[in-house]
Amino acid sequence: MTSAIPAVPPGSESIPDKPALEGLESKWSADWERSGVYRFDRAAALAAGRDAVFSIDTPPPTASGSLHIGHVFSYTHMDTAARFQRMRGKHLFYPMGWDDNGLPTERRVQNYFGVRCDPSLPYDPGFTPPNEGNGSTKPGDQVPISRRNFVELCERLSAEDEQQFEDLWRALGLSVDWSLTYRTIGADAQRAAQRAFLRNLARGEAYQADAPTLWDVTFRSAVAQAELEDRDQPGAYHRVAFHAPDGSPVFIETTRPELLPACVALVAHPDDERYQALFGTTVTTPLFGVEIPVLAHHLAQPDKGSGIAMICTWGDLTDVIWWRELDLPARAVIGADGRFVPEAPAADLFSDAGRAAYDELAGKTVFSAKQRIVELLGESGELEGAPKPIQHPVKFYEKGDRPLEIVSTRQWYLANGARDEALRDRLLEAGRAIGFHPEHMRVRYENWVGGLTGDWLVSRQRFFGVPIPVWYPLDAEGVPQRDDPIVPGEHLLPVDPSSDPAPGFDEAQRGQPNGFVGELDILDTWATSSLTPQIAGGWETDPELFATVFPFSLRSQGQDIIRTWLFSTVLRAELEHHQVPWAEAGISGFIVDPDRKKMSKSKGNVVTPAAMLDEHGSDAVRYWAASSRLGTDSAFDPQNPKLMKIGRRLAIKILNAAKFVYSFEAASGEVTAPLDVDQLAELAVVVDEATRAMEAYDHARALEVAEQFFWTFCDDYLELVKERAYAGDPSAVTALRTALEVLLRLLAPVVTFATEEVWSWTHEGSIHTAAWPTVENSGLGGGAPRGLLPAVSAALIGIRRAKTDAKASQKTEVRRASIAGPAILAEAADDLRAVGRIAELSVTEGDEIAVTAIELDETPAAS
């Protein structure tokens, strides 16, 4: 067997006297940027063809604040896959994006600068924010500024955040091509998002509708189903009496008595015998005296409360379903500001006492209105008993602080399969065409698609985002004709209808009769980030590139955004291209704290990664992340970062073991000694197993088998053969270097900096563009392992244990020793004799490897 690994160059001056991890991140990050080692070679990729390209749809992190340890976790998983494919000879298209528009950025700007947006104000070109980094978080204390001034501050702060993010990603060693960076608020991204929306509109997939809308009263914006989260909140059941025609009470139990003026019906399950006689009749509401019907619906729960519920417009999503399916009137009383509207929609139906009661509620917050209406019910005698406290789940916008309300508004929607069975089936089929890693994550996608209750609400009443590219003509009275929008040609994109005149009009006609008004709403941020493959891949702007990278090879992301980012990207690709956006989806688990709670900013248990990188080093942090399989949650205790310590020890050992191996000066030659041959045969098995694991996106298993062999190599094999290596035995030296350089390449996707440092001592170019090891390209030979290396390793452990039991140093000479084990052990007797300092060694056959006799020299060994 002949090694394919070159000898150490003459003079080994590149090998430091004392290798250390400190400083490797800055050294190699700068070198990688300077040499362009991770740059996408477009010309070579186009020449090689689509099959030679591996393209990654990278998650664009939200540029609002700071990254947390969960980002490091999942992005490291993605990077190990990228590095593996690069070493397999693929041309890597690996961009980075920044998701910098939307509510999170606006909220950060408000709190950072102490400002709030008031679109009615004129632009102030000389505006200076009142604060820098310590602004007020209270809306009443924030300085109102124009939309344009506000957007400029959003641009400024997000650019600063993005630079910090890039610095951290570089320190972590992400091998992205930074020349491919994009922003979701950038002109190219806006152009792509607006183009896709206009095409959705032309095909009838985008539409406007007046409908009950989940509404965040703090941000005064609509919220989509995918952005909801349930939070347990204190509440109370109030037992309230409605009045049947005969005057008897009909009790309902509700947590929202303040919505009594919006009550339009009572509802019970059609099989509930208690209310059969009431179906088809009417009852009168307490306090307000409005006559409403009693209806049957299968969603009513006989075992909840009294079994009969009031339908209000609208208290929750079930109210919306009942209202729609039972064709009930809308009498919404809560406005967009979260307060009760001045005039109730059904005030003419109220009794005189009811109108007086509502006058006391008008203008109040939901909380205050609830307090007052409970008092009024108590005074009227229509509240039975005291309210019963409960804890119950309440819907919030995932980034909001107050419970959502349901408000009737006119919004833009995008078809998502909820109301279109054929589209839903196509989306399910698309999910089956994607390889999910791990496979069980596919179920989360399918459950989300099957559980959709409404089309995707894509409009937001905010300021920093991609404008919805439509205008509305005004009639002779100046009324907007919203069912007949004006759209731009695609060549005009991107446009901002709030400042650009409509095609065919001039700015002087804005807001004038027979003129136009621009749409002020922006697109939901997911409506842009759902197009990351199209944005990064040059859809319509670079057809040659797009055909080369799309569909992408891999989408890597966290499990919590399957319902948002993954689903919406599949939807947009299906609507626009009728194909899946990528072949594979790698889904990372959560980072949880020591109590197994998911880390999140709202829980206050987030760990920021910068300090960890400084303390432990990037290779150690990458090792911690890569030790977890995809889809598996990982507990992290910053007070006891055990895995990071293990990872750092591994990185240090790589440096020191390599320096030791390269200290042997014999030239490469034939690998002939039985132990050397068997060691490389064992390593060949490791290479095959690690390769299969990486191909299956199981980076944790690949790391596990490579690391396990590395420690066997360092602790056992290197010790066993070092005497021969010192003596210049070509077989030992060649086997050592061959194994080391295979192990370096196996570990390179995870331990990126230490392996690059070692590789540079003996090679030109980067280890990260070196060939992934195979039996054929690494001098490992083709024979199967005979079990000699594990047998000799076990025998060595036995000798060490015998010395330890005798309370002797490992350097103590051994006069005689006998070892039982397989006959193959005799082939490595000389190496065992040398490492164990054994003068006379006998090997006898036995079923188990054991030291059967040992006689130590009483004379202390020389140090």
Side-chain angles (χ1 to χ4, degrees), residues 454-500:
D455 283 334
W456 180 9
L457 193 159
V458 295
S459 50
R460 294 292 181 273
Q461 292 66 55
R462 298 303 300 174
F463 317 109
F464 187 51
V466 178
I468 295 177
V470 299
W471 298 259
Y472 305 102
L474 300 178
D475 64 15
E477 282 72 44
V479 177
Q481 306 301 295
R482 296 189 177 274
D483 293 329
D484 188 24
I486 303 167
V487 299
E490 290 187 6
H491 66 285
L492 297 174
L493 304 178
V495 297
D496 183 354
S498 70
S499 57
D500 298 330

Side-chain angles (χ1 to χ4, degrees), residues 63 98 157-170:
W98 308 120
L157 193 57
S158 60
E160 293 173 3
D161 287 341
E162 287 156 14
Q163 185 57 57
Q164 294 179 14
F165 287 12
E166 180 179 331
D167 292 344
L168 187 141
W169 285 146
R170 287 181 182 272

